[in-house]
Amino acid sequence: MFDYLTFGLLAQLFINGILFGTMYGLAAIGLSLIFGTMRIIFLSQGAVIILMAYCCYWLFTLFKIDPYLSIPIIGLAAMVLGAGIYQGLFRRAVKMEDKNITLLIAVGLMFLIENLMAVMWTPNPRSISTGYTSSSIPVGGLAISFTRLMGFVMAMLSTAGVTLFLKRTLVGKAVRAASEDIEAARLVGISPHWVNTIAFAIGIGLCGIAGIALSTTYPFDPYFGFIFSLKAMIALALGGLGSVFGALLGGIILGTLESWSSFFISGGWADAVSYGVFLLVLLFKPEGLLVRSVKKV
Amino acid sequence: MKSKRIFWWFGLLCSIPIICLVFSNFAMAAGKEILIGAPVHMTGPLAPDGLELKWAYEQAVADWNKKGGIFIKSANKKLPIRLVFADDESEPAKVAGAIEKLIKVDKVDLLLGTHSATMSVPAINTAEKYQMVYHCTTHWPEMFRDQKAKWASVMFFSAVGASEVPFIIWETLLKKEDRPKNVALLMEDSPDGQAFGGGFRSHAKTHGVTFAVDEPWAIGAKDYSSMILKMKAKNVDAILLYGAPTDAITLVRQIKEAKLNVKYMHGWKGTWAVEFAQALGKDANYVICDGFWSEEFPYPLCKELGKRYTDKFKKRSVSIGAFYGTAQVLFMAIERAKSYDKTAVRDALRNAEYKGTVMGDLKFDEIGLALFPSTANQWWDGKQMLFYPPVKGGYQLKLAPEWGKR
Amino acid sequence: MKNLKPITSVVLATLLLGLIPFVSDSEKSYLVYFLFLTFCHIVLTQGWNLVAGYTGQVSLGTHAFFALGAYTTAMIWRADLFSWENYYFDPVTMILSGLVPVIFALAIGIPLLSKLHGDYFALGTLGFGEILKVVCIKGGQFTGGPIGIMLPSSVYTTMRPHYWTALFLAFLATGVVYFMTKSRVGLALVAISEDETAASSSGIYILKYKVLAFAISAFLSGLCGSLYAYYLFQVSPEGFLILRWTLYPVLMCVIGGSGTVVGPILGSLLMTAVFTVTSIYLPGIHPIFSGIIIILVMLFMPNGIIRLWKKGV
């Protein structure tokens, strides 16, 4: 049945899976900060990514700014937006015991962003077409998509940057402390609002990066992002909470899983396989695949 | 006590919409105009199609009203047509709500249909409940027959008929040595994709073609590299695909990235949008798209409609004529019945022939079904060039060379 | 006396609402459809309320059970399971459509609830819904694939049975929530949501109660799904297995006031009205308004409308 399998094919499949999973991973690292510190099921993540993709599109179309050069602009704008979203929408709700409220604000925000985009920029699909769109780099008989490779590089750099930030800077340490134990963090005098604002700013900033990676690789329309919200959530659960690198790796695992199952089973079942694995992980190793089991009381 | 007042405010707040809903029943002007309702997708993922549909219906109404409307015997004069829309939000459950609203709140006389088979099934079911004429396009005849609707009518092509097009093209337009040998079939997991897939498989059998790859295509999946690898491993030289525009663009991009050379790529739904060509630029060349209609059709109004569309949206369309034609046929039926009474209009849409529409001559059978042929166009420098059915002196199909040699 | 007053008023309101189809022509008045939709939302919302409002477990799987109910109805009808003449509003079919989701709720509820808390339970139920969606799309002949199962719409005569059944189900759902909360089970549920550790140490067998609430919620959603299948006459993944059927109940419940009996009713009424009116008067841009309303309500009355009133009494 699989007589056409060769080593090269398998290697290509492997690489494709990793590059594809990076897209999920990029979305997941942003989420890991937001979900990690505030436990918000932030379903509007995907919509924000698409919003950033549109920003990238407009910068490219109107001002001829290359998508990769727009990283600083979009990253910064996204961070400001993130801080704004937190201060404007989630500041009060995060304190509350009831998690439904943050979930619903996220849903409301998703409705709002998706449909604002549809009204302002029409629901027709958009895409960025540059010289390097759909070009690939041949490496020893394998073809590696350029835009996806760039996405991979961006994801790696972002992960490294965020990890360094969390480990080396005082603010970062505070964010990390808060994501591990918010009560204890409060006791040692960390202001939760400050930490949350930072976490949100970085989280949404990473959405900006994900938006750029997405807009160079895919055509998109206002409703394109929802699947990324879900998949990022899964990637996060696979990788384990509170670890940025885990989130990226979770995304890559998810991507590889989908890629392999759509090759060996069939395209339509890839989603079922990834959700099935997700459920199994939730049941048997809810702290994530990559976290060494620590029993929490 | 203050908080109790808030409760009363809330009560008031709730009652206003309810009162609105109750009283809107009386807001109607009978006998002065012909009120036609249409559910369309204004929001949600199908909105791009919905907005085109809306535009086409509006064009048809404006054209008829310019002539003074339609002569109605009971009023003994020409009455103008008025269109009301309701948003179906691209969801089957909401299309039912939209039709309930059109019938009960707006009190429409007749209904024009929304777009896509997913929506048409519940839409027809709901319209049937109120014995309301529902005249639509883009609904599969096979499914329509199963529904046994008494009030609905459809003008479209059958998936079975449309899916024979590539086989006919290969046999009539290509030299023997050029005909594809390893064909891949990629069908979206949707009612439309399934209907087409079934058609392709049955025609492949009669035309002696076997599919080297036959993959369902999950809607909104973001990675097709596995599928492409499979096609590459099996030396696929032709692809028949059915999917959404974003998915189709992604697929072609990834095909190019993977350097898979396919000389014949024929897509349905996803490849016809102008966004497809814009997103891919030169890479869209050689890709074939289907169409309901073409402005190159030798029928009245086609050129003009195409021009109007291009003026408004700055692009060409291969579908707008079917939407315009749907409204046009409904108005012709009213004109023929000299009445907008729903029974009369329904009867006028059964066992009847309508000549000179933008879709050519249409013949409705006893269940209210009229078929028109599906077209095939090839993208060439940002334009869909009609090549099937062949028009005299028209565009000739080109086979795609390898990626490196373009 | 004090305990009887709310019951009598609810029963009276139900009877009064039951008379509406006699006053207003169900085939001509949008009001009947609007109330039908509201009642459906009340059923789903009360079901979600029971799990989330009372046990504190956020379920995002309402649409899965709703769809399971609808699919059960459609399959029984299509397969002509009992070789009866009529499956339209057949009580046995409807009850079975409630029980099938219960089986699934038990199958996934026991492992999920025994292991997962809070957010993870939400994600787990969401995952269940997504798997079910893929299975229904890929189910071939059995589930009808992406087209789903078409039911003969010719049996439809009026909207009255839909209206009354929906009203009855809404009444039933409210009654179930009311009696659950007044009984020992309800006390246990509230104790769980307030402090799980304390509840378990005072001898409440937490898992049993959580699963019970989850199963009842699935039963109500399944019944509602069956009713909606009778309304739409087509059960398809795109019509039933969409996240809206989960998000709406969550929204309506929280806006009305979760963890109360009356809150979900108010929430359903208000939000159905908001959605309907915006969709009629602001076509094309209404989801923006819905989004803004959701955010505003959550920001300024996060505990629900009902508590605005209760606080003062």
Side-chain angles (χ1 to χ4, degrees), chain B residues 253-271:
Chain B
R253 281 190 175 177
Q254 294 187 359
I255 283 179
K256 190 186 174 194
E257 282 167 6
K259 301 267 180 302
L260 171 68
N261 290 308
V262 179
K263 60 184 180 189
Y264 183 94
M265 190 185 313
H266 194 153
W268 281 261
K269 182 172 92 172
T271 53

PDB file of all heavy atoms in Angstrom, chain B residues 253-271:
ATOM      1  N   ARG B 253       0.004  27.369  -3.981  1.00  0.00           N
ATOM      2  CA  ARG B 253       1.288  27.852  -3.475  1.00  0.00           C
ATOM      3  C   ARG B 253       2.154  26.696  -3.002  1.00  0.00           C
ATOM      4  O   ARG B 253       3.352  26.642  -3.289  1.00  0.00           O
ATOM      5  CB  ARG B 253       1.053  28.798  -2.294  1.00  0.00           C
ATOM      6  CG  ARG B 253       0.639  30.166  -2.728  1.00  0.00           C
ATOM      7  CD  ARG B 253       0.663  31.101  -1.545  1.00  0.00           C
ATOM      8  NE  ARG B 253       0.386  32.458  -1.979  1.00  0.00           N
ATOM      9  CZ  ARG B 253       0.285  33.479  -1.147  1.00  0.00           C
ATOM     10  NH1 ARG B 253       0.436  33.307   0.133  1.00  0.00           N
ATOM     11  NH2 ARG B 253       0.036  34.684  -1.617  1.00  0.00           N
ATOM     12  N   GLN B 254       1.531  25.787  -2.286  1.00  0.00           N
ATOM     13  CA  GLN B 254       2.334  24.686  -1.755  1.00  0.00           C
ATOM     14  C   GLN B 254       2.751  23.719  -2.852  1.00  0.00           C
ATOM     15  O   GLN B 254       3.811  23.105  -2.781  1.00  0.00           O
ATOM     16  CB  GLN B 254       1.560  23.962  -0.640  1.00  0.00           C
ATOM     17  CG  GLN B 254       1.364  24.882   0.546  1.00  0.00           C
ATOM     18  CD  GLN B 254       0.758  24.207   1.746  1.00  0.00           C
ATOM     19  OE1 GLN B 254       0.446  23.019   1.722  1.00  0.00           O
ATOM     20  NE2 GLN B 254       0.579  24.959   2.814  1.00  0.00           N
ATOM     21  N   ILE B 255       1.932  23.611  -3.902  1.00  0.00           N
ATOM     22  CA  ILE B 255       2.317  22.777  -5.047  1.00  0.00           C
ATOM     23  C   ILE B 255       3.560  23.353  -5.705  1.00  0.00           C
ATOM     24  O   ILE B 255       4.497  22.637  -6.052  1.00  0.00           O
ATOM     25  CB  ILE B 255       1.145  22.676  -6.048  1.00  0.00           C
ATOM     26  CG1 ILE B 255       0.099  21.704  -5.519  1.00  0.00           C
ATOM     27  CG2 ILE B 255       1.637  22.243  -7.426  1.00  0.00           C
ATOM     28  CD1 ILE B 255      -1.092  21.547  -6.405  1.00  0.00           C
ATOM     29  N   LYS B 256       3.566  24.688  -5.805  1.00  0.00           N
ATOM     30  CA  LYS B 256       4.740  25.303  -6.419  1.00  0.00           C
ATOM     31  C   LYS B 256       5.968  25.125  -5.527  1.00  0.00           C
ATOM     32  O   LYS B 256       7.062  24.832  -6.007  1.00  0.00           O
ATOM     33  CB  LYS B 256       4.482  26.788  -6.679  1.00  0.00           C
ATOM     34  CG  LYS B 256       5.578  27.398  -7.542  1.00  0.00           C
ATOM     35  CD  LYS B 256       5.450  28.883  -7.697  1.00  0.00           C
ATOM     36  CE  LYS B 256       6.655  29.439  -8.429  1.00  0.00           C
ATOM     37  NZ  LYS B 256       6.731  30.897  -8.320  1.00  0.00           N
ATOM     38  N   GLU B 257       5.766  25.315  -4.228  1.00  0.00           N
ATOM     39  CA  GLU B 257       6.889  25.143  -3.304  1.00  0.00           C
ATOM     40  C   GLU B 257       7.473  23.752  -3.402  1.00  0.00           C
ATOM     41  O   GLU B 257       8.688  23.555  -3.359  1.00  0.00           O
ATOM     42  CB  GLU B 257       6.433  25.391  -1.861  1.00  0.00           C
ATOM     43  CG  GLU B 257       6.295  26.844  -1.504  1.00  0.00           C
ATOM     44  CD  GLU B 257       5.546  27.058  -0.199  1.00  0.00           C
ATOM     45  OE1 GLU B 257       5.223  26.059   0.502  1.00  0.00           O
ATOM     46  OE2 GLU B 257       5.261  28.214   0.126  1.00  0.00           O
ATOM     47  N   ALA B 258       6.599  22.783  -3.532  1.00  0.00           N
ATOM     48  CA  ALA B 258       7.056  21.391  -3.573  1.00  0.00           C
ATOM     49  C   ALA B 258       7.501  20.988  -4.974  1.00  0.00           C
ATOM     50  O   ALA B 258       7.905  19.849  -5.185  1.00  0.00           O
ATOM     51  CB  ALA B 258       5.950  20.466  -3.089  1.00  0.00           C
ATOM     52  N   LYS B 259       7.427  21.919  -5.937  1.00  0.00           N
ATOM     53  CA  LYS B 259       7.827  21.663  -7.315  1.00  0.00           C
ATOM     54  C   LYS B 259       7.095  20.455  -7.920  1.00  0.00           C
ATOM     55  O   LYS B 259       7.695  19.620  -8.584  1.00  0.00           O
ATOM     56  CB  LYS B 259       9.346  21.432  -7.426  1.00  0.00           C
ATOM     57  CG  LYS B 259      10.193  22.589  -6.947  1.00  0.00           C
ATOM     58  CD  LYS B 259      10.553  23.519  -8.093  1.00  0.00           C
ATOM     59  CE  LYS B 259      11.401  24.692  -7.666  1.00  0.00           C
ATOM     60  NZ  LYS B 259      10.812  25.557  -6.628  1.00  0.00           N
ATOM     61  N   LEU B 260       5.832  20.386  -7.642  1.00  0.00           N
ATOM     62  CA  LEU B 260       5.031  19.335  -8.271  1.00  0.00           C
ATOM     63  C   LEU B 260       4.528  19.890  -9.600  1.00  0.00           C
ATOM     64  O   LEU B 260       3.882  20.929  -9.651  1.00  0.00           O
ATOM     65  CB  LEU B 260       3.838  18.968  -7.372  1.00  0.00           C
ATOM     66  CG  LEU B 260       2.788  18.046  -7.968  1.00  0.00           C
ATOM     67  CD1 LEU B 260       3.357  16.659  -8.190  1.00  0.00           C
ATOM     68  CD2 LEU B 260       1.571  17.964  -7.064  1.00  0.00           C
ATOM     69  N   ASN B 261       4.859  19.200 -10.683  1.00  0.00           N
ATOM     70  CA  ASN B 261       4.471  19.685 -12.009  1.00  0.00           C
ATOM     71  C   ASN B 261       3.200  18.999 -12.479  1.00  0.00           C
ATOM     72  O   ASN B 261       3.158  17.786 -12.615  1.00  0.00           O
ATOM     73  CB  ASN B 261       5.596  19.438 -13.007  1.00  0.00           C
ATOM     74  CG  ASN B 261       6.771  20.332 -12.726  1.00  0.00           C
ATOM     75  OD1 ASN B 261       6.630  21.538 -12.602  1.00  0.00           O
ATOM     76  ND2 ASN B 261       7.939  19.736 -12.578  1.00  0.00           N
ATOM     77  N   VAL B 262       2.190  19.815 -12.689  1.00  0.00           N
ATOM     78  CA  VAL B 262       0.903  19.278 -13.120  1.00  0.00           C
ATOM     79  C   VAL B 262       0.510  20.025 -14.380  1.00  0.00           C
ATOM     80  O   VAL B 262       0.487  21.246 -14.385  1.00  0.00           O
ATOM     81  CB  VAL B 262      -0.162  19.508 -12.029  1.00  0.00           C
ATOM     82  CG1 VAL B 262      -1.486  18.968 -12.479  1.00  0.00           C
ATOM     83  CG2 VAL B 262       0.257  18.868 -10.738  1.00  0.00           C
ATOM     84  N   LYS B 263       0.229  19.297 -15.450  1.00  0.00           N
ATOM     85  CA  LYS B 263      -0.037  20.038 -16.682  1.00  0.00           C
ATOM     86  C   LYS B 263      -1.495  20.475 -16.798  1.00  0.00           C
ATOM     87  O   LYS B 263      -1.811  21.386 -17.549  1.00  0.00           O
ATOM     88  CB  LYS B 263       0.409  19.241 -17.910  1.00  0.00           C
ATOM     89  CG  LYS B 263      -0.268  17.910 -18.092  1.00  0.00           C
ATOM     90  CD  LYS B 263       0.346  17.200 -19.287  1.00  0.00           C
ATOM     91  CE  LYS B 263      -0.321  15.841 -19.482  1.00  0.00           C
ATOM     92  NZ  LYS B 263       0.355  15.024 -20.460  1.00  0.00           N
ATOM     93  N   TYR B 264      -2.356  19.832 -16.055  1.00  0.00           N
ATOM     94  CA  TYR B 264      -3.763  20.202 -16.148  1.00  0.00           C
ATOM     95  C   TYR B 264      -4.321  20.321 -14.734  1.00  0.00           C
ATOM     96  O   TYR B 264      -4.415  19.327 -14.016  1.00  0.00           O
ATOM     97  CB  TYR B 264      -4.517  19.140 -16.942  1.00  0.00           C
ATOM     98  CG  TYR B 264      -5.970  19.452 -17.166  1.00  0.00           C
ATOM     99  CD1 TYR B 264      -6.399  20.096 -18.319  1.00  0.00           C
ATOM    100  CD2 TYR B 264      -6.927  19.091 -16.225  1.00  0.00           C
ATOM    101  CE1 TYR B 264      -7.734  20.381 -18.517  1.00  0.00           C
ATOM    102  CE2 TYR B 264      -8.267  19.372 -16.417  1.00  0.00           C
ATOM    103  CZ  TYR B 264      -8.659  20.017 -17.568  1.00  0.00           C
ATOM    104  OH  TYR B 264      -9.989  20.308 -17.764  1.00  0.00           O
ATOM    105  N   MET B 265      -4.654  21.532 -14.303  1.00  0.00           N
ATOM    106  CA  MET B 265      -5.258  21.688 -12.990  1.00  0.00           C
ATOM    107  C   MET B 265      -6.607  22.367 -13.141  1.00  0.00           C
ATOM    108  O   MET B 265      -6.698  23.495 -13.606  1.00  0.00           O
ATOM    109  CB  MET B 265      -4.373  22.500 -12.062  1.00  0.00           C
ATOM    110  CG  MET B 265      -4.911  22.443 -10.639  1.00  0.00           C
ATOM    111  SD  MET B 265      -4.056  23.469  -9.448  1.00  0.00           S
ATOM    112  CE  MET B 265      -2.383  23.128  -9.756  1.00  0.00           C
ATOM    113  N   HIS B 266      -7.642  21.665 -12.772  1.00  0.00           N
ATOM    114  CA  HIS B 266      -9.008  22.153 -12.982  1.00  0.00           C
ATOM    115  C   HIS B 266      -9.690  22.257 -11.627  1.00  0.00           C
ATOM    116  O   HIS B 266      -9.822  21.266 -10.921  1.00  0.00           O
ATOM    117  CB  HIS B 266      -9.745  21.165 -13.897  1.00  0.00           C
ATOM    118  CG  HIS B 266     -11.018  21.712 -14.452  1.00  0.00           C
ATOM    119  ND1 HIS B 266     -11.549  21.288 -15.639  1.00  0.00           N
ATOM    120  CD2 HIS B 266     -11.867  22.647 -14.001  1.00  0.00           C
ATOM    121  CE1 HIS B 266     -12.676  21.937 -15.891  1.00  0.00           C
ATOM    122  NE2 HIS B 266     -12.888  22.761 -14.904  1.00  0.00           N
ATOM    123  N   GLY B 267     -10.061  23.461 -11.260  1.00  0.00           N
ATOM    124  CA  GLY B 267     -10.657  23.650  -9.951  1.00  0.00           C
ATOM    125  C   GLY B 267     -12.100  24.126 -10.039  1.00  0.00           C
ATOM    126  O   GLY B 267     -12.483  24.807 -10.986  1.00  0.00           O
ATOM    127  N   TRP B 268     -12.879  23.767  -9.049  1.00  0.00           N
ATOM    128  CA  TRP B 268     -14.270  24.233  -8.964  1.00  0.00           C
ATOM    129  C   TRP B 268     -14.415  25.098  -7.733  1.00  0.00           C
ATOM    130  O   TRP B 268     -13.807  24.820  -6.700  1.00  0.00           O
ATOM    131  CB  TRP B 268     -15.239  23.045  -8.902  1.00  0.00           C
ATOM    132  CG  TRP B 268     -15.484  22.451 -10.233  1.00  0.00           C
ATOM    133  CD1 TRP B 268     -16.545  22.664 -11.045  1.00  0.00           C
ATOM    134  CD2 TRP B 268     -14.606  21.568 -10.957  1.00  0.00           C
ATOM    135  NE1 TRP B 268     -16.388  21.974 -12.218  1.00  0.00           N
ATOM    136  CE2 TRP B 268     -15.228  21.299 -12.189  1.00  0.00           C
ATOM    137  CE3 TRP B 268     -13.377  20.996 -10.686  1.00  0.00           C
ATOM    138  CZ2 TRP B 268     -14.649  20.470 -13.140  1.00  0.00           C
ATOM    139  CZ3 TRP B 268     -12.801  20.176 -11.628  1.00  0.00           C
ATOM    140  CH2 TRP B 268     -13.435  19.913 -12.844  1.00  0.00           C
ATOM    141  N   LYS B 269     -15.217  26.108  -7.824  1.00  0.00           N
ATOM    142  CA  LYS B 269     -15.502  27.069  -6.759  1.00  0.00           C
ATOM    143  C   LYS B 269     -14.281  27.872  -6.333  1.00  0.00           C
ATOM    144  O   LYS B 269     -14.288  29.083  -6.441  1.00  0.00           O
ATOM    145  CB  LYS B 269     -16.110  26.378  -5.528  1.00  0.00           C
ATOM    146  CG  LYS B 269     -16.469  27.365  -4.417  1.00  0.00           C
ATOM    147  CD  LYS B 269     -17.240  26.719  -3.308  1.00  0.00           C
ATOM    148  CE  LYS B 269     -16.326  26.217  -2.202  1.00  0.00           C
ATOM    149  NZ  LYS B 269     -17.053  25.761  -1.035  1.00  0.00           N
ATOM    150  N   GLY B 270     -13.235  27.199  -5.856  1.00  0.00           N
ATOM    151  CA  GLY B 270     -12.122  27.914  -5.246  1.00  0.00           C
ATOM    152  C   GLY B 270     -11.247  28.659  -6.230  1.00  0.00           C
ATOM    153  O   GLY B 270     -10.596  29.639  -5.883  1.00  0.00           O
ATOM    154  N   THR B 271     -11.197  28.218  -7.477  1.00  0.00           N
ATOM    155  CA  THR B 271     -10.230  28.812  -8.394  1.00  0.00           C
ATOM    156  C   THR B 271     -10.832  29.936  -9.239  1.00  0.00           C
ATOM    157  O   THR B 271     -10.125  30.572  -9.986  1.00  0.00           O
ATOM    158  CB  THR B 271      -9.652  27.748  -9.340  1.00  0.00           C
ATOM    159  OG1 THR B 271     -10.744  27.078  -9.961  1.00  0.00           O
ATOM    160  CG2 THR B 271      -8.826  26.744  -8.585  1.00  0.00           C
TER     161      THR B 271
END
